[in-house]
Amino acid sequence: MKKELKLKNQVGELERVNQFVEEIGEELNLDMEMQMNLNLVMEEMVSNIIFYAYPEGSDAEIELMAESDGKELTFVLSDQGSEFDPTLKEDADVNINPIDREGLGGMGIFIVKNIMNQVTYQRLEGKNLLTMKKEIK
């Protein structure tokens, strides 16, 4: 299985990300918990690109590719925004009260690292490439 989705850097596109993950979940017969976790991961990473990778008001494209061999599901998220390696971000302190966390950030990336089995980043030819892998069988 191999699928690709091209998105604009707009919040309204998150609905298309949800549909994309749902279709993959159905095709691979993933349980609801796995689908919800994968949806959370993709929504978090795509929204980070939408909000932080480009200057406000600029139009850009985001690509999301998914591929599976039946044992592992790989997502590759690419954009041409500002260079940012989320794998270098220090893990959020989960002991801080969420009310006191405002402005600290980092929870989304922490969640992604904990849901996925492997998260790697590359900057190639002016593109951010975030590869996220999850064992599914």
Short mmCIF file of all heavy atoms in Angstrom, two decimals, residues 41-94:
data_model
loop_
_atom_site.label_atom_id
_atom_site.label_comp_id
_atom_site.label_asym_id
_atom_site.label_seq_id
_atom_site.Cartn_x
_atom_site.Cartn_y
_atom_site.Cartn_z
N VAL A 41 -1.02 11.95 15.81
CA VAL A 41 0.35 12.21 15.36
C VAL A 41 0.35 13.08 14.11
O VAL A 41 1.05 14.10 14.04
CB VAL A 41 1.09 10.87 15.11
CG1 VAL A 41 2.36 11.09 14.30
CG2 VAL A 41 1.40 10.18 16.42
N MET A 42 -0.42 12.67 13.10
CA MET A 42 -0.41 13.40 11.83
C MET A 42 -0.98 14.80 12.00
O MET A 42 -0.46 15.77 11.45
CB MET A 42 -1.20 12.64 10.76
CG MET A 42 -0.57 11.35 10.32
SD MET A 42 1.17 11.49 9.92
CE MET A 42 1.84 10.29 11.06
N GLU A 43 -2.05 14.92 12.77
CA GLU A 43 -2.65 16.23 13.00
C GLU A 43 -1.66 17.15 13.71
O GLU A 43 -1.53 18.32 13.35
CB GLU A 43 -3.93 16.06 13.83
CG GLU A 43 -4.81 17.29 13.80
CD GLU A 43 -6.17 17.01 14.42
OE1 GLU A 43 -6.96 16.27 13.80
OE2 GLU A 43 -6.42 17.55 15.51
N GLU A 44 -0.95 16.63 14.68
CA GLU A 44 0.03 17.41 15.44
C GLU A 44 1.16 17.89 14.53
O GLU A 44 1.52 19.07 14.53
CB GLU A 44 0.58 16.56 16.59
CG GLU A 44 1.52 17.30 17.50
CD GLU A 44 0.90 18.51 18.17
OE1 GLU A 44 -0.27 18.44 18.62
OE2 GLU A 44 1.59 19.55 18.25
N MET A 45 1.71 16.99 13.74
CA MET A 45 2.86 17.35 12.91
C MET A 45 2.47 18.27 11.75
O MET A 45 3.18 19.22 11.44
CB MET A 45 3.56 16.09 12.39
CG MET A 45 4.25 15.28 13.47
SD MET A 45 5.69 16.07 14.26
CE MET A 45 4.99 17.06 15.56
N VAL A 46 1.31 18.01 11.12
CA VAL A 46 0.87 18.88 10.03
C VAL A 46 0.52 20.27 10.57
O VAL A 46 0.89 21.29 9.97
CB VAL A 46 -0.33 18.26 9.26
CG1 VAL A 46 -0.91 19.26 8.26
CG2 VAL A 46 0.12 17.00 8.53
N SER A 47 -0.14 20.33 11.72
CA SER A 47 -0.49 21.65 12.27
C SER A 47 0.77 22.43 12.68
O SER A 47 0.81 23.65 12.53
CB SER A 47 -1.48 21.54 13.43
OG SER A 47 -0.94 20.83 14.51
N ASN A 48 1.81 21.75 13.13
CA ASN A 48 3.07 22.44 13.42
C ASN A 48 3.63 23.10 12.16
O ASN A 48 4.12 24.23 12.22
CB ASN A 48 4.11 21.48 14.00
CG ASN A 48 3.92 21.23 15.48
OD1 ASN A 48 3.10 21.85 16.14
ND2 ASN A 48 4.69 20.29 16.01
N ILE A 49 3.56 22.40 11.04
CA ILE A 49 4.03 22.98 9.78
C ILE A 49 3.16 24.18 9.40
O ILE A 49 3.67 25.24 9.05
CB ILE A 49 4.02 21.92 8.65
CG1 ILE A 49 5.04 20.82 8.95
CG2 ILE A 49 4.32 22.59 7.29
CD1 ILE A 49 4.92 19.60 8.04
N ILE A 50 1.84 24.01 9.49
CA ILE A 50 0.92 25.09 9.13
C ILE A 50 1.19 26.35 9.96
O ILE A 50 1.26 27.45 9.43
CB ILE A 50 -0.55 24.64 9.29
CG1 ILE A 50 -0.89 23.58 8.23
CG2 ILE A 50 -1.51 25.83 9.20
CD1 ILE A 50 -2.22 22.86 8.47
N PHE A 51 1.38 26.18 11.27
CA PHE A 51 1.52 27.33 12.16
C PHE A 51 2.94 27.91 12.25
O PHE A 51 3.09 29.10 12.52
CB PHE A 51 1.04 26.98 13.57
CG PHE A 51 -0.44 26.76 13.66
CD1 PHE A 51 -0.93 25.54 14.10
CD2 PHE A 51 -1.35 27.74 13.29
CE1 PHE A 51 -2.31 25.31 14.18
CE2 PHE A 51 -2.72 27.52 13.35
CZ PHE A 51 -3.20 26.30 13.81
N TYR A 52 3.96 27.09 12.03
CA TYR A 52 5.31 27.56 12.32
C TYR A 52 6.31 27.53 11.17
O TYR A 52 7.35 28.17 11.24
CB TYR A 52 5.91 26.75 13.48
CG TYR A 52 5.04 26.76 14.71
CD1 TYR A 52 4.47 25.59 15.18
CD2 TYR A 52 4.77 27.95 15.39
CE1 TYR A 52 3.65 25.59 16.31
CE2 TYR A 52 3.95 27.96 16.51
CZ TYR A 52 3.40 26.78 16.96
OH TYR A 52 2.59 26.78 18.07
N ALA A 53 6.06 26.78 10.09
CA ALA A 53 7.09 26.59 9.06
C ALA A 53 7.19 27.74 8.06
O ALA A 53 8.23 27.94 7.45
CB ALA A 53 6.86 25.28 8.32
N TYR A 54 6.11 28.49 7.90
CA TYR A 54 6.08 29.52 6.87
C TYR A 54 5.68 30.87 7.45
O TYR A 54 4.95 30.92 8.45
CB TYR A 54 5.05 29.14 5.78
CG TYR A 54 5.39 27.87 5.05
CD1 TYR A 54 4.80 26.65 5.40
CD2 TYR A 54 6.30 27.89 4.00
CE1 TYR A 54 5.12 25.48 4.72
CE2 TYR A 54 6.62 26.72 3.31
CZ TYR A 54 6.03 25.53 3.67
OH TYR A 54 6.35 24.38 3.01
N PRO A 55 6.12 31.96 6.80
CA PRO A 55 5.66 33.28 7.24
C PRO A 55 4.13 33.37 7.14
O PRO A 55 3.55 32.79 6.23
CB PRO A 55 6.32 34.25 6.25
CG PRO A 55 7.43 33.47 5.62
CD PRO A 55 7.03 32.02 5.67
N GLU A 56 3.54 34.07 8.06
CA GLU A 56 2.08 34.19 8.08
C GLU A 56 1.57 34.76 6.76
O GLU A 56 2.14 35.69 6.20
CB GLU A 56 1.65 35.12 9.23
CG GLU A 56 0.18 35.03 9.53
CD GLU A 56 -0.21 35.78 10.80
OE1 GLU A 56 0.61 35.85 11.72
OE2 GLU A 56 -1.35 36.27 10.85
N GLY A 57 0.51 34.14 6.25
CA GLY A 57 -0.11 34.60 5.01
C GLY A 57 0.49 34.02 3.74
O GLY A 57 -0.01 34.29 2.65
N SER A 58 1.55 33.24 3.86
CA SER A 58 2.15 32.68 2.64
C SER A 58 1.47 31.36 2.28
O SER A 58 1.00 30.63 3.13
CB SER A 58 3.66 32.46 2.83
OG SER A 58 3.90 31.51 3.84
N ASP A 59 1.40 31.11 0.97
CA ASP A 59 0.82 29.87 0.47
C ASP A 59 1.94 28.87 0.21
O ASP A 59 2.93 29.21 -0.43
CB ASP A 59 0.05 30.10 -0.83
CG ASP A 59 -1.26 30.83 -0.60
OD1 ASP A 59 -1.82 30.71 0.51
OD2 ASP A 59 -1.71 31.53 -1.52
N ALA A 60 1.75 27.66 0.69
CA ALA A 60 2.76 26.63 0.48
C ALA A 60 2.09 25.26 0.44
O ALA A 60 0.93 25.12 0.82
CB ALA A 60 3.80 26.68 1.58
N GLU A 61 2.86 24.28 -0.02
CA GLU A 61 2.35 22.92 -0.12
C GLU A 61 3.05 22.02 0.88
O GLU A 61 4.24 22.15 1.13
CB GLU A 61 2.59 22.41 -1.55
CG GLU A 61 1.89 21.11 -1.85
CD GLU A 61 2.02 20.71 -3.30
OE1 GLU A 61 3.07 20.15 -3.66
OE2 GLU A 61 1.08 20.96 -4.06
N ILE A 62 2.27 21.11 1.43
CA ILE A 62 2.77 20.09 2.35
C ILE A 62 2.42 18.74 1.72
O ILE A 62 1.32 18.58 1.20
CB ILE A 62 2.08 20.21 3.74
CG1 ILE A 62 2.30 21.59 4.35
CG2 ILE A 62 2.54 19.10 4.68
CD1 ILE A 62 1.38 21.91 5.52
N GLU A 63 3.36 17.81 1.75
CA GLU A 63 3.10 16.48 1.20
C GLU A 63 3.15 15.45 2.32
O GLU A 63 4.04 15.50 3.17
CB GLU A 63 4.14 16.12 0.14
CG GLU A 63 4.05 16.97 -1.09
CD GLU A 63 5.12 16.63 -2.12
OE1 GLU A 63 5.74 15.55 -2.02
OE2 GLU A 63 5.34 17.46 -3.02
N LEU A 64 2.18 14.55 2.31
CA LEU A 64 2.15 13.46 3.27
C LEU A 64 2.06 12.16 2.48
O LEU A 64 1.16 11.97 1.69
CB LEU A 64 0.93 13.60 4.20
CG LEU A 64 0.73 12.51 5.24
CD1 LEU A 64 1.94 12.34 6.15
CD2 LEU A 64 -0.51 12.81 6.09
N MET A 65 3.06 11.30 2.68
CA MET A 65 3.11 10.03 1.99
C MET A 65 3.01 8.93 3.05
O MET A 65 3.58 9.04 4.13
CB MET A 65 4.44 9.91 1.23
CG MET A 65 4.53 8.74 0.28
SD MET A 65 5.06 7.18 1.01
CE MET A 65 6.66 7.58 1.66
N ALA A 66 2.26 7.89 2.72
CA ALA A 66 2.13 6.74 3.61
C ALA A 66 2.41 5.48 2.82
O ALA A 66 1.99 5.36 1.67
CB ALA A 66 0.72 6.68 4.21
N GLU A 67 3.13 4.56 3.45
CA GLU A 67 3.48 3.31 2.79
C GLU A 67 3.50 2.21 3.84
O GLU A 67 3.93 2.42 4.97
CB GLU A 67 4.86 3.46 2.15
CG GLU A 67 5.23 2.36 1.21
CD GLU A 67 6.49 2.70 0.41
OE1 GLU A 67 7.21 3.68 0.74
OE2 GLU A 67 6.75 1.97 -0.54
N SER A 68 3.02 1.03 3.45
CA SER A 68 3.03 -0.09 4.38
C SER A 68 3.35 -1.39 3.66
O SER A 68 2.90 -1.61 2.54
CB SER A 68 1.68 -0.22 5.09
OG SER A 68 1.70 -1.35 5.94
N ASP A 69 4.09 -2.23 4.37
CA ASP A 69 4.40 -3.57 3.87
C ASP A 69 3.56 -4.61 4.62
O ASP A 69 3.79 -5.80 4.50
CB ASP A 69 5.89 -3.88 4.02
CG ASP A 69 6.36 -3.82 5.47
OD1 ASP A 69 5.52 -3.65 6.40
OD2 ASP A 69 7.57 -3.96 5.69
N GLY A 70 2.60 -4.14 5.42
CA GLY A 70 1.75 -5.05 6.20
C GLY A 70 2.25 -5.26 7.62
O GLY A 70 1.48 -5.64 8.50
N LYS A 71 3.53 -4.99 7.86
CA LYS A 71 4.10 -5.13 9.20
C LYS A 71 4.41 -3.78 9.83
O LYS A 71 4.37 -3.62 11.03
CB LYS A 71 5.40 -5.94 9.14
CG LYS A 71 5.21 -7.37 8.71
CD LYS A 71 6.53 -8.08 8.60
CE LYS A 71 6.30 -9.48 8.04
NZ LYS A 71 7.51 -10.08 7.52
N GLU A 72 4.72 -2.82 8.96
CA GLU A 72 5.10 -1.49 9.43
C GLU A 72 4.43 -0.45 8.54
O GLU A 72 4.30 -0.65 7.33
CB GLU A 72 6.62 -1.35 9.38
CG GLU A 72 7.14 -0.05 9.94
CD GLU A 72 8.67 -0.03 9.97
OE1 GLU A 72 9.28 -0.05 8.88
OE2 GLU A 72 9.23 -0.03 11.06
N LEU A 73 4.01 0.64 9.15
CA LEU A 73 3.41 1.76 8.43
C LEU A 73 4.36 2.94 8.54
O LEU A 73 4.78 3.30 9.64
CB LEU A 73 2.04 2.09 9.04
CG LEU A 73 1.28 3.27 8.48
CD1 LEU A 73 1.04 3.15 6.97
CD2 LEU A 73 -0.06 3.42 9.21
N THR A 74 4.74 3.49 7.40
CA THR A 74 5.67 4.62 7.37
C THR A 74 4.97 5.84 6.78
O THR A 74 4.35 5.76 5.73
CB THR A 74 6.91 4.28 6.50
OG1 THR A 74 7.55 3.13 7.04
CG2 THR A 74 7.89 5.44 6.46
N PHE A 75 5.09 6.96 7.50
CA PHE A 75 4.60 8.24 7.01
C PHE A 75 5.81 9.13 6.78
O PHE A 75 6.71 9.18 7.61
CB PHE A 75 3.71 8.94 8.06
CG PHE A 75 2.37 8.30 8.26
CD1 PHE A 75 2.16 7.40 9.28
CD2 PHE A 75 1.30 8.62 7.43
CE1 PHE A 75 0.91 6.82 9.49
CE2 PHE A 75 0.05 8.05 7.63
CZ PHE A 75 -0.14 7.14 8.66
N VAL A 76 5.81 9.83 5.64
CA VAL A 76 6.85 10.83 5.39
C VAL A 76 6.13 12.15 5.12
O VAL A 76 5.31 12.26 4.21
CB VAL A 76 7.75 10.46 4.20
CG1 VAL A 76 8.80 11.56 3.97
CG2 VAL A 76 8.43 9.12 4.43
N LEU A 77 6.45 13.13 5.94
CA LEU A 77 5.85 14.45 5.85
C LEU A 77 6.91 15.38 5.31
O LEU A 77 8.03 15.43 5.85
CB LEU A 77 5.40 14.86 7.25
CG LEU A 77 4.53 16.06 7.46
CD1 LEU A 77 3.27 15.99 6.62
CD2 LEU A 77 4.16 16.18 8.92
N SER A 78 6.62 16.10 4.23
CA SER A 78 7.62 17.01 3.68
C SER A 78 7.03 18.39 3.41
O SER A 78 5.86 18.53 3.05
CB SER A 78 8.25 16.43 2.42
OG SER A 78 7.35 16.41 1.36
N ASP A 79 7.90 19.38 3.61
CA ASP A 79 7.53 20.78 3.36
C ASP A 79 8.79 21.55 3.05
O ASP A 79 9.90 21.08 3.30
CB ASP A 79 6.81 21.37 4.58
CG ASP A 79 7.73 21.53 5.77
OD1 ASP A 79 8.38 22.60 5.88
OD2 ASP A 79 7.83 20.60 6.60
N GLN A 80 8.61 22.74 2.49
CA GLN A 80 9.75 23.60 2.16
C GLN A 80 9.83 24.79 3.08
O GLN A 80 10.39 25.83 2.74
CB GLN A 80 9.67 24.05 0.70
CG GLN A 80 9.84 22.88 -0.27
CD GLN A 80 9.81 23.32 -1.71
OE1 GLN A 80 9.00 24.15 -2.11
NE2 GLN A 80 10.69 22.75 -2.51
N GLY A 81 9.29 24.64 4.27
CA GLY A 81 9.31 25.72 5.25
C GLY A 81 10.65 25.85 5.95
O GLY A 81 11.64 25.25 5.54
N SER A 82 10.66 26.65 7.00
CA SER A 82 11.87 26.86 7.79
C SER A 82 12.42 25.52 8.27
O SER A 82 11.66 24.63 8.64
CB SER A 82 11.55 27.70 9.04
OG SER A 82 10.94 28.90 8.65
N GLU A 83 13.73 25.42 8.27
CA GLU A 83 14.36 24.18 8.72
C GLU A 83 14.07 23.98 10.20
O GLU A 83 14.26 24.89 11.01
CB GLU A 83 15.87 24.23 8.48
CG GLU A 83 16.56 22.94 8.80
CD GLU A 83 18.03 22.93 8.38
OE1 GLU A 83 18.47 23.85 7.66
OE2 GLU A 83 18.71 21.98 8.77
N PHE A 84 13.57 22.80 10.54
CA PHE A 84 13.28 22.48 11.94
C PHE A 84 13.31 20.97 12.13
O PHE A 84 12.60 20.25 11.45
CB PHE A 84 11.90 23.02 12.36
CG PHE A 84 11.55 22.66 13.78
CD1 PHE A 84 12.24 23.21 14.84
CD2 PHE A 84 10.54 21.75 14.05
CE1 PHE A 84 11.93 22.86 16.15
CE2 PHE A 84 10.22 21.40 15.35
CZ PHE A 84 10.91 21.96 16.40
N ASP A 85 14.14 20.53 13.05
CA ASP A 85 14.26 19.11 13.36
C ASP A 85 13.57 18.84 14.70
O ASP A 85 14.14 19.08 15.76
CB ASP A 85 15.73 18.71 13.43
CG ASP A 85 15.93 17.23 13.70
OD1 ASP A 85 14.94 16.54 14.02
OD2 ASP A 85 17.08 16.76 13.60
N PRO A 86 12.34 18.33 14.67
CA PRO A 86 11.61 18.09 15.91
C PRO A 86 12.24 16.99 16.78
O PRO A 86 11.99 16.93 17.98
CB PRO A 86 10.21 17.70 15.46
CG PRO A 86 10.38 17.23 14.05
CD PRO A 86 11.55 17.98 13.50
N THR A 87 13.08 16.15 16.16
CA THR A 87 13.69 15.07 16.95
C THR A 87 14.75 15.61 17.91
O THR A 87 15.12 14.93 18.86
CB THR A 87 14.33 14.00 16.04
OG1 THR A 87 15.42 14.58 15.32
CG2 THR A 87 13.32 13.43 15.07
N LEU A 88 15.22 16.84 17.68
CA LEU A 88 16.21 17.44 18.57
C LEU A 88 15.57 18.17 19.74
O LEU A 88 16.24 18.55 20.69
CB LEU A 88 17.11 18.43 17.80
CG LEU A 88 17.96 17.83 16.69
CD1 LEU A 88 18.75 18.93 15.99
CD2 LEU A 88 18.88 16.75 17.24
N LYS A 89 14.25 18.38 19.65
CA LYS A 89 13.53 19.09 20.71
C LYS A 89 13.55 18.26 21.98
O LYS A 89 13.25 17.07 21.96
CB LYS A 89 12.08 19.32 20.25
CG LYS A 89 11.25 20.13 21.22
CD LYS A 89 11.01 21.50 20.67
CE LYS A 89 10.01 22.25 21.51
NZ LYS A 89 10.59 23.31 22.29
N GLU A 90 13.94 18.90 23.06
CA GLU A 90 13.99 18.20 24.35
C GLU A 90 12.58 17.77 24.73
O GLU A 90 11.62 18.51 24.53
CB GLU A 90 14.57 19.14 25.41
CG GLU A 90 15.00 18.45 26.66
CD GLU A 90 15.73 19.39 27.61
OE1 GLU A 90 16.69 20.05 27.18
OE2 GLU A 90 15.31 19.46 28.78
N ASP A 91 12.47 16.56 25.27
CA ASP A 91 11.15 16.06 25.67
C ASP A 91 10.52 16.98 26.70
O ASP A 91 11.20 17.50 27.59
CB ASP A 91 11.26 14.64 26.25
CG ASP A 91 11.48 13.60 25.17
OD1 ASP A 91 11.27 13.91 23.98
OD2 ASP A 91 11.85 12.46 25.53
N ALA A 92 9.21 17.17 26.54
CA ALA A 92 8.46 18.00 27.48
C ALA A 92 8.47 17.36 28.86
O ALA A 92 8.49 16.13 28.99
CB ALA A 92 7.03 18.14 26.99
N ASP A 93 8.47 18.19 29.88
CA ASP A 93 8.40 17.70 31.26
C ASP A 93 6.94 17.40 31.58
O ASP A 93 6.14 18.30 31.76
CB ASP A 93 8.97 18.76 32.22
CG ASP A 93 9.05 18.27 33.66
OD1 ASP A 93 8.45 17.21 33.98
OD2 ASP A 93 9.70 18.95 34.47
N VAL A 94 6.62 16.11 31.63
CA VAL A 94 5.23 15.70 31.86
C VAL A 94 4.79 15.95 33.30
O VAL A 94 3.61 15.82 33.61
CB VAL A 94 4.98 14.22 31.48
CG1 VAL A 94 5.14 14.04 29.99
CG2 VAL A 94 5.90 13.29 32.25
#
